[in-house]
Amino acid sequence: MKQFIVINQYAWCNDSGCGITYASDHEAFNDRENAIKHGFEITGSDDFNIGVIEDEKLISFDWMDKPVGESKETINEIAEAIGLDGAA
């Protein structure tokens, strides 16, 4: 069964370089619409992504209802950053 979570990404930059950090409250929803509502509630804007989880693995990184098109490698990096298994 697929579930949906909100994933936030934060850009950072310091003396050692720049990058992106990912975070999630891991509140899982059985439908995308409720996950999107939750995203608006916690961010106050549309500046968040939706993670699609299946069998406790992150399988897609989306913006609203459209996959962002990240590679499996990047999805695995995001999954690791938020404490989930990647799609492999």
Side-chain angles (χ1 to χ4, degrees):
M1 178 171 96
K2 288 184 182 175
Q3 292 188 305
F4 304 88
I5 62 170
V6 174
I7 300 174
N8 298 101
Q9 47 182 330
Y10 304 97
W12 59 269
C13 196
N14 60 32
D15 291 344
S16 66
C18 298
I20 297 176
T21 299
Y22 300 91
S24 176
D25 65 2
H26 291 269
E27 188 167 340
F29 298 89
N30 291 328
D31 60 74
R32 184 182 302 267
E33 293 77 24
N34 283 323
I36 291 171
K37 286 179 189 176
H38 180 65
F40 279 114
E41 289 172 5
I42 63 174
T43 65
S45 71
D46 65 353
D47 191 20
F48 60 89
N49 293 87
I50 299 296
V52 182
I53 309 297
E54 190 168 51
D55 296 326
E56 299 184 31
K57 294 181 181 178
L58 182 65
I59 62 168
S60 187
F61 182 71
D62 304 348
W63 187 78
M64 300 300 162
D65 63 348
K66 295 176 178 55
V68 175
E70 299 290 2
S71 68
K72 281 190 178 185
E73 179 180 274
T74 302
I75 288 175
N76 289 340
E77 289 172 16
I78 294 167
E80 183 179 335
I82 63 171
L84 293 174
D85 289 332

